[in-house]
Amino acid sequence: MLDLKTSQTIKENAVVICVLTKKTDSLNRKIDEINRLCFSSDLNVIKNFHQNIKEFNKATVIGSGKVEEIKQFIENCEEIIDVVIVDYALSGSQMKNLSSAFKVKVVDRVGLIIDIFAKGAKSNEAKLQVKLAQDQYLLPRLSQLQGTSGRFGSAGVGMRGPGETKLELNRRVLENEIASLKKQIAKIKNQRVVTKKDRLNSNLPLIALVGYTNSGKSSLLKTLTKEEIYTDDKYFATLDTLSRKFRFTDGTQAILTDTVGFISDLPHQLVDAFSSTLEEAVSADLILHVVDISLQKEENGMKEFESNMKVTNDLLDSLGATDNRIVVYNKCDLLSKPILLKQNEVLISTKLKKGIDIMLNKIKENLDNLN
Ligand SMILES: Nc1nc2c(ncn2[C@@H]2O[C@H](COP(=O)(O)OP(=O)(O)OP(=O)(O)O)[C@@H](O)[C@H]2O)c(=O)[nH]1
Ligand SMILES: [Mg+2]
């Protein structure tokens, strides 16, 4: 069995199954994204399989022929396959059935994303939030997953970090822990409200950097504040809300807040668990919606950056965020053609430090209009 303590240095081999359920699902985009999630979780993808689901199989999601094909591949593969990643939200019994068929552990999209969060959580608050998400993910699956951990077990990835010993727990203990975690998170949230009031007393406007994961939010904060801020070409590099004061050239100041990135089908357990963090970001006076404009590949009538924007806007709307938003198209250094901009849009490159002054003028103008 993989030693979880050293799992950051050992790469597990994975087989990926991409499940397409809607006509509008774009295969290449979905495969790209799930592979990037695997990369962000230090998995080594050996092979990708996919299936268009027409008749939904309740027991295994994918059809029995596909299960057999993948089983054969795993058995005959030269590499030892440690895990099968299914790009779909599986129930506990579906996970168990697939795991028994493949004889390796099976992890779904939700488990994989929670796992990336578990590995990246640094602050006490982020750790508590991830633990809550893990517990809420595990609770409805507990009875199926109990006793199945280990080499051929269902759980593994998705259960690292704070919650890795959970399978020994019973339902009652887990429920108590969930209640206690919620209390602890609420307490931190209250402390934050006080801190925020202090800020509001100082009358500084709050600007939140929001957007799809890997769009360049932290890079922009780094460029603006000239501070050492962690950025990485991996999904979910940032898990903690980070706020910094910023001074405009006329001497006025604002508070800039960087936060966790969005992704399509962001697990609801994570949205719930991180709600206090997200609320803080979305209660800002102005939202800078950072977009990776280099994602120009078009499928099913929509460019990738456009569908990422839709995911972000939908989540912002559902969280009740202000519609005072400026769209910051980042990574323009990777664009081969110029693009037309609307009134509330700017084009920048944090890499080449291009367009930053124009963006700052737009932000200043927007904030001045709020007063
Ligand atoms: N070419 C290019 N790359 C950029 C630019 N801005 C950021 N990047 C790269 O994009 C990757 C993601 O940047 P981050 O700033 O970590 O993105 P983020 O939005 O904070 O991502 P998460 O925290 O994971 O949600 C990094 O590898 C950056 O170096 C840019 O203007 N041009
Ligand atoms: Mg970041």
Side-chain angles (χ1 to χ4, degrees), residues 14 50 58 60 72 91 124 164 176 199 208 247 281 340 353 362 365-366:
H50 72 272
K58 242 182 138 183
T60 52
Q72 292 296 330
S91 69
N124 187 28
E164 67 195 40
N176 287 342
R199 280 183 200 149
R247 192 183 290 272
L340 273 179
K353 314 273 178 287
K362 192 145 240 153
E365 206 176 282
N366 183 294

Side-chain angles (χ1 to χ4, degrees), residues 26 29 33 212 263-264 291 295 297 299 302-314:
S26 148
R29 204 173 285 165
E33 187 164 276
Y212 213 77
I263 194 161
S264 62
V291 178
L295 302 173
K297 256 191 255 160
E299 275 179 70
M302 221 181 193
K303 291 192 172 164
E304 188 170 353
F305 81 89
E306 290 171 327
S307 74
N308 291 356
M309 282 177 82
K310 187 175 178 327
V311 168
T312 305
N313 281 326
D314 288 351

Side-chain angles (χ1 to χ4, degrees), residues 311-327:
V311 168
T312 305
N313 281 326
D314 288 351
L315 197 53
L316 285 175
D317 292 343
S318 72
L319 291 165
T322 173
D323 54 13
N324 188 33
R325 302 174 196 171
I326 293 176
V327 179

Side-chain angles (χ1 to χ4, degrees), residues 13 35 42 44 46 52 66 75 85 105 151 154 195 206 244 250 254 262 281 285 287 290 308 315 329 351 355 361:
N13 287 332
N35 276 264
D42 289 328
N44 190 20
I46 303 293
N52 281 300
K66 194 50 100 181
E75 275 175 17
I85 302 289
K105 64 194 168 197
R151 174 76 177 84
S154 307
T195 328
L206 292 165
R244 289 286 177 269
D250 68 356
F262 296 173
D285 302 292
I287 285 177
V290 183
N308 291 356
L315 197 53
Y329 291 121
K351 190 176 176 186
N361 286 339

Side-chain angles (χ1 to χ4, degrees), residues 6 60 114 138 150 342:
T6 54
T60 52
I114 292 180
L138 193 54
K342 295 196 196 108

Side-chain angles (χ1 to χ4, degrees), residues 213-219 229-232 234 236-239 258-261:
T213 183
N214 209 45
S215 56
K217 302 176 290 298
S218 304
S219 303
I229 291 167
Y230 177 60
T231 63
D232 200 346
K234 282 189 171 176
F236 306 115
T238 306
L239 293 177
D258 181 18
T259 192
V260 52

